Amino acid sequence: AECCDEHLWRVHFRGWDQPRVLSAGKIATMLSRARYRNRLWIEPFAGEFGCDDGLPLDPWLLGVLIGDGSLAGSSVRFSSADAALVGQVAEKVSPAMVVTAAGGYDYRIAQAGGAHRAGVQGVHANPVKAALEQLGLWNVDAFTKFIPASYLNASRDSRMRLLSGLIDADGWVEKWGSLRLATSSPQLARDVITLIRSLGGAGSFQLKKTTYGYLGEKRQGQDTYVCNLQHADASTFATVDHKRERLAAVRQRQRRLNIVSIEPTRVAPVQCIEVSHPSRLYVTDDFMVTHNTAFAVNIAEHVAATDKKACAIFSLEMSRQQLAQRLLCSRSGVDSHRLRRNMLREDDWPRLHATVGELSEAPLYIDDTPGLTLLQLRAKARRMAARYHIKFIIIDYLQLMSSPGSESRQQEVSELSRGIKAMARDLSLPVVCLSQLNRAAESREGHRPRMSDLRESGSIEQDADVVMMLHREEYYHVNDPSWAEENPEKKGVAEIIIAKQRNGPTGVVELTFDGATTRFNNLARRPGGGGGDY
């Protein structure tokens, strides 16, 4: 993790009665002493997040099918030598489905009454196969298996059951208690590591070269990726008796997240955030905080609340509650910090009351489904267009969407970009799609973004009709009071850089940004000493 010297961490040490909150600079000093070296640790992530909306298959059953199932052909099949596991699969499928022997250790999941229905022409689709097709997992071989994003972003219980299905079907337990899972798919190996870490565990995988004998010759086999998984409560990830008993017989060693070192990386302006949770703890990641969402929400607010035209927001980053709070503060002009901390002033209440009534009548629809795929987006957008007659769509943001089956991240983003473009033309309505930028602007003089900074794919630039980029020079000088004195005209100013426009001019439009209410407004200028809006 990258943080500033003053960033606070809740740190444990075996000689302390309770954890202490220390800055990164203080921890770095302590690590220089042998007493604390490799003996300071932070608590693992509890894994409490996610939503189960729209999961077409039971997570445990999906884990079994990904682990040791055949996801191609005319029928859904899996392999197992454990009769208890076969019985569990039969319980998980719907009453209209049966598990039948297909020879050896292979079993088939089929419809109890067959694929044909009396009085109905054609074949009735297998629900399990249809669910796998919906998830992009049908006609996927052993080398390209993966875990769908909707399941990686599901609730903690669903993620635990998914991992249990993988372990039950294709995992094993070492004599010292470690969980192991082998796969020919590098993407599945990465997804399994993401899965165990999302549950507060630890994991890694390594490439293993395999060999086999043929007619007396030793030949090179397929590459295998062996996942090594650890968790404080590993026994919950095995429901098959012999694996659960082996885990219970071994004392599970708790793996701690020790702080190994703190090293300087770069000099850059930073701005700390305040967490309103009583513990003051939060989960950090590799994303940078910017104001893209604020600008997009301001547009949606104007379209829905002012122009009274139906607008849809697909938010993959923020929940609907967070967006609603941001809309409320932006529209009412109430400081969002005071609202979060329950420190509202007397004059805030009338404004909030009036804004709540105004927004309740606005035709604004928010979908905060995590891990949205392109197919799901198109289906939801079509339904909204037909039912609510939406005239405008916002997607926040492109890099959080997924396109199963892509060979690389660049290809995945390219497919998403083209798909969103096609959706906009198909529905005949404008779509604003937010995208991340890389960090090249931080080292550039002036810090202004360029189209080449668009993250992970150049196809975004090619497909978009209009490319708008946000820039606030003040952001890069937040800790430099002399800059504000020397550049008073730039304080609170945001530039909307129109870098590309197919049917109009390019250039820069200046707005003001109010961080307290996360709102962009028109910038009042005095050209030649006069007044008026600019």
Side-chain angles (χ1 to χ4, degrees), residues 50 74 79 125 131 176 209 239-240 273 283 292 340 350 385 404 427 442:
S74 59
S79 300
W176 53 85
K209 297 290 185 178
T239 62
V240 176
I273 64 173
V283 180
N292 278 352
R340 286 195 301 268
L427 298 177
E442 293 184 4

Side-chain angles (χ1 to χ4, degrees), residues 22-95:
L22 305 172
S23 69
K26 176 64 175 177
I27 298 171
T29 303
M30 295 173 67
L31 290 177
S32 63
R33 299 169 56 186
R35 170 181 172 83
Y36 296 110
R37 202 170 298 143
N38 292 321
R39 294 176 181 175
L40 300 176
W41 73 90
I42 59 174
E43 50 210 62
F45 176 44
E48 295 294 346
F49 74 91
C51 174
D52 288 343
D53 292 347
L55 300 185
L57 272 182
D58 178 84
W60 181 86
L61 176 60
L62 179 65
V64 170
L65 294 176
I66 293 176
D68 211 356
S70 176
L71 307 180
S74 59
S75 61
V76 182
R77 292 171 292 136
F78 69 97
S79 300
S80 179
D82 194 306
L85 185 139
V86 177
Q88 283 183 266
V89 172
E91 293 176 2
K92 294 296 182 183
V93 298
S94 68

Side-chain angles (χ1 to χ4, degrees), residues 364-399:
L364 180 62
Y365 306 94
I366 300 175
D367 185 296
D368 59 353
T369 305
L372 201 64
T373 65
L374 184 59
L375 290 176
Q376 292 172 330
L377 172 68
R378 293 179 70 121
K380 289 174 180 284
R382 283 198 185 98
R383 285 196 296 268
M384 285 185 174
R387 183 174 180 181
Y388 304 116
H389 306 289
I390 58 172
K391 304 298 183 184
F392 185 63
I393 291 177
I394 289 176
I395 303 169
D396 181 23
Y397 57 87
L398 179 67
Q399 279 78 13

Side-chain angles (χ1 to χ4, degrees), residues 65-360:
L65 294 176
I66 293 176
D68 211 356
S70 176
L71 307 180
S74 59
S75 61
V76 182
R77 292 171 292 136
F78 69 97
S79 300
S80 179
D82 194 306
L85 185 139
V86 177
Q88 283 183 266
V89 172
E91 293 176 2
K92 294 296 182 183
V93 298
S94 68
M97 307 294 292
V98 293
V99 176
T100 59
Y105 295 119
D106 293 340
Y107 295 86
R108 184 182 294 109
I109 301 177
Q111 302 176 74
H116 295 276
R117 299 288 184 271
V120 179
Q121 184 179 6
V123 177
H124 191 270
N126 184 321
V128 177
K129 180 181 176 181
L132 292 170
E133 289 176 341
Q134 177 184 338
L135 294 169
L137 280 170
W138 194 246
N139 287 328
V140 170
D141 58 26
F143 309 106
T144 55
K145 286 184 178 180
F146 63 94
I147 298 176
S150 56
Y151 284 82
L152 289 174
N153 292 294
S155 67
R156 187 176 193 275
D157 178 67
S158 293
R159 282 178 279 122
M160 290 184 69
R161 289 191 288 127
L162 172 62
L163 186 57
S164 294
L166 286 164
I167 297 299
D168 287 342
D170 205 31
W172 70 93
V173 182
E174 298 287 2
K175 60 181 180 181
W176 53 85
S178 289
L179 291 172
R180 294 286 175 88
L181 183 75
T183 175
S184 301
S185 168
Q187 183 59 54
L188 180 58
R190 289 190 290 267
D191 289 346
V192 169
I193 301 305
T194 300
L195 186 62
I196 187 68
R197 288 177 178 171
S198 76
L199 294 167
S204 61
F205 69 87
Q206 59 183 3
L207 175 63
K208 182 179 180 181
K209 297 290 185 178
T210 61
T211 58
Y212 67 97
Y214 179 75
L215 298 178
E217 296 181 0
K218 186 177 182 181
R219 297 190 177 184
Q220 188 71 37
Q222 296 289 348
D223 291 343
T224 299
Y225 301 87
V226 180
C227 301
N228 183 24
L229 313 175
Q230 295 93 26
H231 195 277
D233 196 13
S235 59
T236 60
F237 298 119
T239 62
V240 176
D241 288 342
H242 67 90
K243 295 179 182 179
R244 187 173 62 246
E245 291 169 0
R246 189 165 188 175
L247 279 169
V250 179
R251 179 177 176 271
Q252 296 296 322
R253 181 181 178 183
Q254 184 177 0
R255 182 161 179 165
R256 291 172 173 167
L257 298 175
N258 288 336
I259 303 175
V260 178
S261 65
I262 296 180
E263 303 171 359
T265 57
R266 61 194 176 108
V267 177
V270 296
Q271 183 172 358
C272 291
I273 64 173
E274 181 173 345
V275 182
S276 59
H277 191 273
S279 69
R280 299 295 188 266
L281 300 176
Y282 68 98
V283 180
T284 185
D285 57 21
D286 191 37
F287 296 127
M288 295 183 66
V289 178
T290 183
H291 296 292
N292 278 352
T293 304
F295 183 65
V297 170
N298 288 167
I299 298 174
E301 171 207 324
H302 181 81
V303 172
T306 304
D307 293 344
K308 302 298 182 183
K309 294 180 179 178
C311 176
I313 300 178
F314 292 93
S315 176
L316 290 83
E317 183 179 28
M318 300 176 66
S319 67
R320 66 187 70 180
Q321 292 82 5
Q322 291 173 313
L323 280 175
Q325 179 178 290
R326 176 165 286 187
L327 277 165
L328 188 60
C329 294
S330 174
R331 191 75 177 174
S332 65
V334 173
D335 191 323
S336 59
H337 174 71
R338 294 204 305 269
L339 180 62
R340 286 195 301 268
R341 297 292 300 275
N342 196 21
M343 298 170 61
L344 295 174
R345 298 193 300 243
E346 187 174 348
D347 62 334
D348 291 334
W349 290 103
R351 286 185 289 165
L352 285 174
H353 184 270
T355 305
V356 167
E358 188 178 9
L359 290 178
S360 65

Side-chain angles (χ1 to χ4, degrees), residues 475-487:
Y475 171 81
Y476 297 94
H477 303 277
V478 67
N479 293 323
D480 184 4
S482 62
W483 179 88
E485 296 175 1
E486 297 171 1
N487 303 274

